[in-house]
């Protein structure tokens, strides 16, 4: 099969409210930055695939208004209304056709222009879930309770994830929350929706991210190193939360299985060196250790407690600090890819993993109750 | 002089969402009969609430006639919401949960009320409290209230 990968990456600064820039300016900045990283001019880009959300932007067809800033003028451009990592998957399959040499993938979200709760509530059906006032937080809270009840996990177990990721984030110069937190601080932070607390929930983040993907031939011709996409898998679960087992994520399992199959990974914990996952809530990380096949059901907290997934562990998870340190809406998953690329190319300055790394998994998700999941295997 | 940095606007978009056959069945019977209805899958035979055209797992059609189910069950999961945000159904704190209604094989989500919030537990028996003024919508059931076993 054709070789396809990533030759350049960039993301904006992350902040809870980027008052100084419009979404268009944010996008122009990140697009210029990624082109500069690649040493390319916009005219050399074959196509653009963008990711944004109409509700977040308050604009139908949210890509139309930002086409100029993403350099899509007179190019083939299409949008996914999902995290930017899904746009990357779309670009990957297009590049595999052999019709194109490269693709600019770009995502943006200025969630502070509106409110996260409004955006997640609007994603609910109007008859059964929206009248509850269900939001990302309260949906995750219900799932956290199911997970805790099923496996005897406690608030302390969830808090321990936040402590690890905030500690790792504290040495990542690119992230938003750069201060470590203690277990006591996490457990004393205000309850958002029980059993979730402010510090076990991702922050509000404005941001944008971009990568340039290319075929192996194109990268070699230009003397660019390629972070190869070795496998991609994605899957959707059922919509209505009452119809599925919330103690796990069947779609995360299926997505991982599909990606492992393509990348010929049989034992992920041994064959992969680390992972970056979208843990917008601390308990997601434990649940995803299990769903992504790194331990058995309910064993996530053991993996964490044994230090396996810490910076010095045999399988570090979220060495960047993850989404608990910066959660740019529509870009959180693509930023996981960027963080994998930094580690794989030895350019994670200040937070480079101590062990050599050659192969990683990046995870993105979309929808309430971890409805949709995406897994990408990257290698050098 | 204050620097103008943003513009405040609201998107007002009125909708008239069609219930369709199965939602009409469900909400009309809440209103007229004070009875919760589900649908039986023609393939796996399981009853799910609310009424629906398709069994989510089997992708098989459900039986045309809806199945009345109990308005009692137990709490499988719940959350107490403390976060205030626009468009909430009431002022926080309030609770909602996933309820296993007797005779059904999935969970129904609704508010939990009529009880001090700190007393809500997983496994607690609950029963629907009906609104006397019903309009054929979600809040024809006010909430589910804990009952003695």
């Amino acid at each position: 099969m054709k070789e396809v990968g990533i030759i350049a990456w960039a993301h904006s600064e992350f902040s809870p409210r980027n008052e100084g820039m419009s979404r268009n300016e944010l996008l122009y900045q990140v697009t210029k930055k990624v082109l500069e990283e690649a040493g390319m001019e916009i005219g050399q880009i074959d196509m653009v695939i963008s990711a944004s959300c109409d509700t977040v932007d308050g604009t139908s067809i949210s890509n139309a208004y930002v086409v100029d800033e993403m350099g899509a003028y007179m190019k083939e451009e299409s949008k996914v209304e999902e995290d930017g990592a899904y746009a990357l998957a779309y670009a990957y399959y297009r590049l595999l056709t052999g019709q194109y040499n490269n693709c600019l993938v770009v995502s943006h979200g200025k969630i502070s222009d509106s409110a996260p709760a409004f955006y997640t509530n609007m994603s609910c059906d109007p008859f059964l879930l929206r009248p509850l006032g269900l939001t990302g937080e309260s949906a995750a809270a219900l799932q956290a309770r199911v997970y805790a009840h099923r496996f005897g996990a406690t608030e302390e177990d969830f808090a321990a994830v936040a402590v690890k990721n905030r500690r790792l984030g504290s040495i990542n110069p690119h992230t938003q929350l750069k201060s470590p937190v203690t277990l006591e601080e996490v457990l004393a932070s205000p309850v958002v929706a029980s059993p979730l607390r402010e510090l076990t929930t991702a922050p509000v983040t404005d941001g944008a991210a971009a990568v340039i993907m290319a075929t192996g031939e194109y990268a070699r011709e230009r003397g660019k190193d390629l972070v190869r996409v070795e496998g991609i898998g994605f899957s959707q679960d059922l919509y209505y939360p009452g119809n599925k087992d919330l103690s796990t994520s069947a779609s995360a399992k299926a997505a991982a299985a599909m990606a492992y199959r393509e990348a010929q990974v049989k034992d992920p914990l041994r064959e992969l060196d680390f992972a970056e996952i979208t843990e917008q809530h601390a308990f997601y990380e434990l649940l995803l250790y299990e769903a992504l096949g790194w331990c058995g059901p309910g064993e996530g907290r053991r993996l964490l407690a044994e230090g396996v997934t810490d910076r010095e562990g045999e399988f570090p998870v979220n060495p960047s600090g993850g989404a608990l340190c910066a959660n740019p809406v529509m870009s959180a998953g693509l930023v996981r890819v960027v963080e994998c690329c930094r580690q794989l190319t030895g350019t994670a300055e200040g937070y480079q993993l101590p062990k050599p790394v050659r192969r990683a998994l990046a995870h993105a998700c979309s929808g309430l109750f971890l409805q949709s999941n995406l897994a990408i295997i990257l290698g050098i | 002089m204050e620097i103008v940095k943003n513009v405040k606007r609201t998107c007002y978009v009125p909708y008239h969402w069609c219930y369709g056959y199965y939602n009409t069945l469900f909400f009309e019977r809440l209103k007229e009969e004070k009875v919760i209805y589900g649908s039986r899958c023609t393939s796996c035979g399981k009853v799910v609430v609310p009424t629906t055209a398709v069994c989510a797992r089997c992708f098989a059609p459900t039986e045309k006639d809806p199945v009345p189910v109990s308005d009692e069950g137990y709490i499988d999961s719940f959350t107490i919401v403390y976060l205030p945000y626009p468009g909430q159904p009431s002022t926080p704190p309030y609770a909602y949960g996933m309820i296993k209604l007797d005779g059904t094989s999935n969970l129904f989500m609704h508010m939990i009320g009529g009880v001090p919030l700190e007393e809500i537990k997983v496994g607690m028996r609950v029963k629907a409290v009906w609104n006397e003024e019903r309009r054929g919508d979600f809040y024809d059931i006010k909430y589910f209230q804990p009952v003695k076993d």
Side-chain angles (χ1 to χ4, degrees):
Chain A
M1 199 156 76
K2 209 170 182 59
E3 198 180 18
V4 170
I6 301 161
I7 57 170
W9 48 89
H11 63 69
S12 70
E13 272 187 34
F14 297 138
S15 68
R17 172 70 172 152
N18 189 337
E19 184 86 356
M21 288 177 110
S22 69
R23 74 181 99 131
N24 299 57
E25 290 163 346
L26 195 68
L27 210 43
Y28 188 42
Q29 184 194 53
V30 80
T31 303
K32 280 197 302 183
K33 205 160 139 189
V34 79
L35 286 167
E36 195 182 300
E37 289 291 328
M40 291 172 75
E41 304 285 336
I42 193 68
Q44 295 171 298
I45 295 291
D46 289 344
M47 63 175 158
V48 182
I49 300 182
S50 65
S52 55
C53 172
D54 294 0
T55 318
V56 171
D57 283 10
T59 313
S60 324
I61 320 176
S62 52
N63 52 330
Y65 178 43
V66 290
V67 156
D68 305 5
E69 285 80 2
M70 63 172 91
Y73 173 58
M74 287 295 119
K75 291 190 197 304
E76 192 177 318
E77 188 268 350
S78 45
K79 172 196 132 184
V80 296
E81 183 107 358
E82 301 275 10
D83 188 281
Y86 289 75
L88 183 153
Y90 191 167
Y92 170 66
Y93 292 120
R94 287 198 140 191
L95 289 169
L96 284 180
T97 65
Q99 302 278 316
Y100 314 88
N101 290 316
N102 64 56
C103 178
L104 168 66
V105 174
V106 60
S107 59
H108 79 273
K110 275 204 78 188
I111 189 68
S112 76
D113 283 351
S114 175
F118 173 70
Y119 145 69
T120 50
N121 183 245
M122 278 289 284
S123 78
C124 294
D125 74 275
F127 310 126
L128 294 165
L129 296 186
R130 201 179 304 171
L132 284 165
L134 193 73
T135 65
E137 278 73 24
S138 49
L142 289 167
Q143 187 161 18
R145 175 101 50 203
V146 173
Y147 180 85
H149 193 75
R150 171 82 179 270
F151 299 118
T154 62
E155 273 204 63
E156 284 76 7
D157 295 326
F158 301 160
V161 175
V163 170
K164 172 186 76 86
N165 291 0
R166 289 290 294 271
R167 175 165 42 76
L168 296 178
S170 72
I171 56 168
N172 175 0
H174 308 291
T175 200
Q176 179 182 336
L177 301 178
K178 297 191 187 79
S179 57
V181 291
T182 65
L183 198 72
E184 293 69 32
E185 282 168 335
V186 178
L187 293 172
S189 65
V191 178
V192 175
S194 66
L196 304 185
R197 293 176 183 273
E198 197 173 288
L199 292 180
T200 58
T201 299
V204 174
T205 306
D206 283 351
V211 301
I212 294 175
M213 301 191 66
T215 60
E217 299 98 294
Y218 186 83
R220 272 187 293 277
E221 276 167 24
R222 302 187 54 82
K224 296 300 277 180
D225 290 333
L226 191 74
V227 175
R228 278 192 318 274
V229 175
E230 298 187 355
I232 289 188
F234 38 151
S235 180
Q236 277 280 6
D237 207 334
L238 301 172
Y239 171 71
Y240 191 66
N243 287 338
K244 53 192 174 184
D245 176 8
L246 296 180
S247 71
T248 183
S249 170
S251 62
K253 275 186 201 171
M258 183 177 163
Y260 295 154
R261 195 162 54 240
E262 186 181 352
Q264 298 182 342
V265 171
K266 290 191 174 57
D267 183 352
L269 217 50
R270 288 184 197 286
E271 294 170 51
L272 302 176
D273 297 312
F274 70 99
E276 281 280 341
I277 63 177
T278 307
E279 50 18 316
Q280 284 146 336
H281 301 280
F283 83 97
Y284 274 13
E285 182 158 318
L286 303 181
L287 186 154
L288 286 166
Y289 289 175
E290 299 157 22
L292 297 172
W294 307 332
C295 60
E299 291 176 359
R301 56 191 169 144
R302 177 185 59 77
L303 216 60
L304 179 75
E306 289 174 356
V308 175
T309 59
D310 214 327
R311 187 175 151 74
E312 318 283 338
E314 66 179 272
F315 189 73
V317 177
N318 286 330
S320 69
L324 286 173
C325 292
N327 182 36
V329 173
M330 310 313 287
S331 300
L334 190 57
V335 169
R336 307 278 68 76
V337 172
V338 170
E339 292 293 2
C340 285
C341 289
R342 286 185 178 134
Q343 292 289 347
L344 290 168
T345 54
T347 55
E349 283 173 36
Y351 62 112
Q352 184 67 41
L353 286 166
K355 67 169 187 178
V357 289
R358 299 193 60 80
R359 217 174 183 200
L361 179 144
H363 160 269
C365 55
S366 175
L368 302 180
F369 303 97
L370 283 166
Q371 186 180 340
S372 161
N373 285 272
L374 169 67
I376 305 170
I377 310 293
L378 297 161
I380 50 163
Chain B
M1 193 179 74
E2 202 181 326
I3 301 169
V4 182
K5 283 197 168 177
N6 59 56
V7 58
K8 289 187 173 64
R9 292 282 186 277
T10 303
C11 300
Y12 175 69
V13 189
Y15 286 90
H16 304 86
W17 286 300
C18 294
Y19 268 159
Y21 178 80
Y22 286 93
N23 279 316
T24 298
L25 263 183
F26 183 73
F27 289 112
E28 194 180 63
R29 292 187 187 209
L30 289 187
K31 178 171 179 260
E32 300 302 330
E33 300 175 18
K34 293 209 281 190
V35 176
I36 299 171
Y37 277 82
S39 292
R40 189 186 304 279
C41 173
T42 55
S43 171
C44 69
K46 287 180 177 167
V47 174
V48 295
V49 277
T51 47
T52 173
V54 57
C55 173
R57 273 178 204 283
C58 304
F59 197 63
T62 55
E63 289 172 3
K64 193 82 179 164
D65 291 330
V67 183
V69 303
S70 173
D71 69 351
E72 271 191 59
Y74 66 85
I75 296 173
D76 185 83
S77 180
F78 69 95
T79 182
I80 301 166
V81 178
Y82 291 88
L83 182 77
Y85 54 88
Q88 268 174 313
S90 54
T91 313
Y94 56 85
Y96 46 73
M98 304 180 67
I99 298 150
K100 180 80 162 59
L101 294 172
D102 297 341
T104 66
S105 60
N106 69 339
L107 303 167
F108 183 58
M109 286 186 57
H110 216 289
M111 309 299 287
I112 298 170
V115 60
L117 297 178
E118 63 277 8
E119 288 178 17
I120 300 172
K121 300 260 182 310
V122 171
M124 200 172 228
R125 294 285 303 171
V126 288
K127 183 176 170 49
V129 174
W130 295 83
N131 234 324
E132 281 320 304
E133 279 178 44
R134 292 183 302 283
R135 300 180 306 184
D137 70 20
F138 188 78
Y139 284 107
D140 285 354
I141 296 172
K142 270 192 198 167
Y143 48 72
F144 281 77
Q145 184 175 27
V147 288
K148 294 237 164 11
D149 277 330

